[in-house]
Amino acid sequence: MNGDEGQPRRTDIDGAAHGIPTLTVAELEADPHGVFRAWRPRLPVIGHEVAGRLVLRATDVDRLMRDPRLQATETLYPETRGIPNGTLFDIFADGMLTANGAVHRRRRSPFTRTFAVRLVEGLRPRIRAAADDLARDWIGQGEIDLVERYTALIPARTIADLLGLPRADIPRFTRLAYEVSRVLSFTFAPDDVPDLEAAAVALRDYVIEILEARRSAPRDDLLSRFLAEAEAAGELTPQEVVIQIVQMIIGGTDTTRVAGAVQVALLLQHPAQWEAVGRDAGLIPAAVAESLRYEPSVGSVGRVARDDIVLDGHVLPAGRLILLSTMSALRDEAAYAQPDTFDIRRSDLPRLHPVFGGGAHRCIGEALARIELEEGLGALLRLTPDLRLAGAMPVLQGHSGIRRLNGLRVAAGRARPGPVQA
Ligand code: HEM
């Protein structure tokens, strides 16, 4: 995650008509920052061997998020990837993430109140206590995998508590969610589809089980309120009810466990910044935001163009998948000073962080994710200021969708004595 210099390894020009290179998934996966850095000053868009087009520049990505000529992809993505039916397909057909217009509003609106910033802020003390508890579990034990023991568990517990899922179910639903979320990457092979589908079916069945339990015995949790609201309004089909919860579990776990680990790794790699945040907790939100810029856990959002869209003379063709690369945009030298430098004190990040998308689909869980990331980091700085990387800096893989991290080995000394500070 050092922002090494890189050059495009292949310049396979995809026809004179388009005049842009088509990059393979292997090239993009091998060094996404290098590829984006090399092409972005020259072209606003490059070809992507599966998705069609990938938009590179910050101003274009930002503008196109809200451009009515671009739409959510509905079922185009699974169709493009050879998934014409089944539960994986249903997640796209019936979920809010890929829906448009009134259908999207209908699916999203039952959640908007619950995820409102003011209400989510009320969860902060509980999330802080959970982070403290989880950290105290392993501090003093020597080397551990921070993802497994900490950064995965904070969002998993939060989503379990929000939805009223038993904590004992965390290993079951997180394993399934991480597996299903692989469908959003371009690295799975046709042979992997049966496994992904099996995970999607198991996750759907798990949600159906929980929903049935809530229907017969409602509780004071989001799920019971959502069910009551959705059923009273009669606006969502039973299948839509299930799929929105499945999406909430996927969106609420994988993205944030990766981001939680990346921010710790980046700060430990830059010890002066780790120490600065340790001395001044007021810097925590900026450290979270800069980590999300420097190595975003979500690399792009997918759209489809209704009509041909011309970008500086290059066409985004109607009907093709288009990736708006937030990952590239967040390192755009036209938008950020020294974009390949990790600097928690930078002043050029926009108020609305681009990593959470824009327009009608802007991340519904943004406020919650920020709290989880801030509190997760805060607890480590308070309780184990001598935390250090045990081994090499981990590599965050992937150029689109939810990116992947194979664990983060760290070593923590003894727990800091004394009361926990607020
Ligand atoms: C660091 C953490 C996160 C990142 C980087 C992230 C990123 C994003 C992005 C970029 C989108 C927009 C996708 C698009 O426009 O196509 C999105 C949508 C969404 N996110 Fe997140 N997210 C995060 C955490 C969460 C959490 C914690 C939840 C739930 C608790 C969540 C639930 C969702 C849902 C349901 C949508 C679909 C919204 C819609 O289509 O209206 N996300 N997220």
Side-chain angles (χ1 to χ4, degrees), residues 329-407:
L330 286 163
R331 295 266 194 124
D332 187 344
E333 34 294 286
Y336 303 99
Q338 299 188 311
D340 295 325
T341 300
F342 176 75
D343 178 6
I344 62 170
R345 292 196 167 84
R346 70 171 54 249
S347 57
D348 45 16
L349 252 170
R351 196 181 56 80
L352 285 181
H353 201 306
V355 78
F356 294 105
H361 292 272
R362 186 169 172 87
C363 181
I364 202 169
E366 170 183 355
L368 184 60
R370 282 181 187 271
I371 293 172
E372 291 171 347
L373 294 171
E374 289 168 10
E375 295 303 330
L377 180 57
L380 295 183
L381 290 160
R382 282 194 310 275
L383 301 176
T384 171
D386 60 350
L387 192 73
R388 58 185 170 76
L389 288 172
M393 184 69 185
V395 177
L396 185 55
Q397 289 161 334
H399 69 281
S400 67
I402 302 177
R403 300 176 68 213
R404 304 171 305 283
L405 189 71
N406 287 331

Side-chain angles (χ1 to χ4, degrees), residues 244-286:
Q244 303 332 298
I245 301 296
V246 165
Q247 272 197 355
M248 218 41 93
I249 293 176
I250 297 171
T253 51
D254 206 5
T255 51
T256 316
R257 76 167 171 151
V258 172
V262 165
Q263 64 185 13
V264 174
L266 285 168
L267 286 166
L268 293 179
Q269 194 193 23
H270 298 85
Q273 298 191 56
W274 169 265
E275 280 157 26
V277 190
R279 280 193 306 272
D280 177 2
L283 289 172
I284 290 176

Side-chain angles (χ1 to χ4, degrees), residues 99-401:
N100 284 300
V103 176
H104 172 249
R105 284 192 293 280
R106 195 163 54 73
R107 291 176 185 166
R108 178 168 166 132
S109 66
F111 295 95
T112 44
R113 216 172 61 86
T114 304
F115 284 98
V117 178
R118 199 174 42 82
L119 288 180
V120 170
E121 204 41 60
L123 301 174
R124 192 183 279 276
R126 245 167 101 175
I127 295 173
R128 177 175 302 180
D132 280 9
D133 268 7
L134 289 166
R136 287 182 195 282
D137 243 21
W138 49 260
I139 291 174
Q141 284 184 12
E143 254 186 66
I144 55 136
D145 178 355
L146 196 75
V147 179
E148 196 183 297
R149 300 287 300 273
Y150 190 66
T151 71
L153 298 180
I154 295 173
R157 265 204 197 191
T158 307
I159 205 83
D161 292 355
L162 251 186
L163 296 176
L165 312 176
R167 287 216 178 140
D169 289 357
I170 286 177
R172 176 178 172 196
F173 74 71
T174 50
R175 184 183 58 76
L176 296 172
Y178 305 154
E179 178 73 0
V180 178
S181 80
R182 284 176 57 210
V183 78
L184 294 171
S185 76
F186 287 93
T187 46
F188 72 83
D191 287 356
D192 296 327
V193 173
D195 286 346
L196 300 182
E197 175 66 14
V201 169
L203 187 56
R204 181 205 60 190
D205 289 350
Y206 170 71
V207 169
I208 291 175
E209 213 178 276
I210 295 283
L211 284 169
E212 275 165 8
R214 282 304 174 289
R215 257 190 208 100
S216 46
R219 294 199 213 153
D220 183 23
D221 58 29
L222 164 66
L223 211 52
S224 305
R225 281 195 298 279
F226 165 64
L227 260 183
E229 238 178 73
E231 290 184 352
E235 284 184 338
L236 297 189
T237 66
Q239 163 94 335
E240 284 176 323
V241 167
V242 173
I243 297 295
Q244 303 332 298
I245 301 296
V246 165
Q247 272 197 355
M248 218 41 93
I249 293 176
I250 297 171
T253 51
D254 206 5
T255 51
T256 316
R257 76 167 171 151
V258 172
V262 165
Q263 64 185 13
V264 174
L266 285 168
L267 286 166
L268 293 179
Q269 194 193 23
H270 298 85
Q273 298 191 56
W274 169 265
E275 280 157 26
V277 190
R279 280 193 306 272
D280 177 2
L283 289 172
I284 290 176
V288 169
E290 174 63 352
S291 304
L292 288 168
R293 181 196 74 82
Y294 192 80
E295 278 298 4
S297 56
V298 175
S300 64
V301 306
R303 294 289 186 268
V304 56
R306 275 163 24 151
D307 308 305
D308 282 359
I309 297 176
V310 181
L311 217 54
D312 288 351
H314 300 279
V315 176
L316 302 179
R320 292 290 297 273
L321 263 181
I322 290 161
L323 297 180
L324 302 179
S325 177
T326 37
M327 184 176 165
S328 170
L330 286 163
R331 295 266 194 124
D332 187 344
E333 34 294 286
Y336 303 99
Q338 299 188 311
D340 295 325
T341 300
F342 176 75
D343 178 6
I344 62 170
R345 292 196 167 84
R346 70 171 54 249
S347 57
D348 45 16
L349 252 170
R351 196 181 56 80
L352 285 181
H353 201 306
V355 78
F356 294 105
H361 292 272
R362 186 169 172 87
C363 181
I364 202 169
E366 170 183 355
L368 184 60
R370 282 181 187 271
I371 293 172
E372 291 171 347
L373 294 171
E374 289 168 10
E375 295 303 330
L377 180 57
L380 295 183
L381 290 160
R382 282 194 310 275
L383 301 176
T384 171
D386 60 350
L387 192 73
R388 58 185 170 76
L389 288 172
M393 184 69 185
V395 177
L396 185 55
Q397 289 161 334
H399 69 281
S400 67

